[in-house]
Amino acid sequence: MQNDYVGAAGLHNLALMPCGNIAFYEEDGQSYLSMVDVGYITTLSPHPSLEEGVALARAAYAELFRGVLGVE
């Protein structure tokens, strides 16, 4: 069963999720990824369930970047 970390802290926090704040772009032939760190949500909206969700999300993003992009 999945815990709804953001929902538990208030649905108003959905706008702060990094999934809406990821950008891929190219400059001078080099590809870049830019994203808001998932932990930023706790700076704007401190809540214990968000802290727990951030810990899980960081690990998930790291695995995604390793598997899909081949970066650490």
Side-chain angles (χ1 to χ4, degrees), residues 11-53:
L11 294 178
H12 63 281
N13 291 299
L14 288 172
L16 302 173
M17 296 301 293
C19 55
N21 300 298
I22 296 176
F24 293 96
Y25 62 98
E26 188 176 302
E27 283 184 356
D28 301 323
Q30 177 70 39
S31 297
Y32 294 92
L33 173 135
S34 174
M35 82 179 249
V36 174
D37 183 272
V38 69
Y40 189 65
I41 193 171
T42 61
T43 301
L44 298 174
S45 185
H47 192 279
S49 70
L50 291 177
E51 295 286 346
E52 190 175 350

Side-chain angles (χ1 to χ4, degrees), residues 47-69:
H47 192 279
S49 70
L50 291 177
E51 295 286 346
E52 190 175 350
V54 164
L56 294 171
R58 276 200 176 119
Y61 275 114
E63 182 61 30
L64 171 73
F65 295 149
R66 271 192 300 278
V68 175
L69 302 175

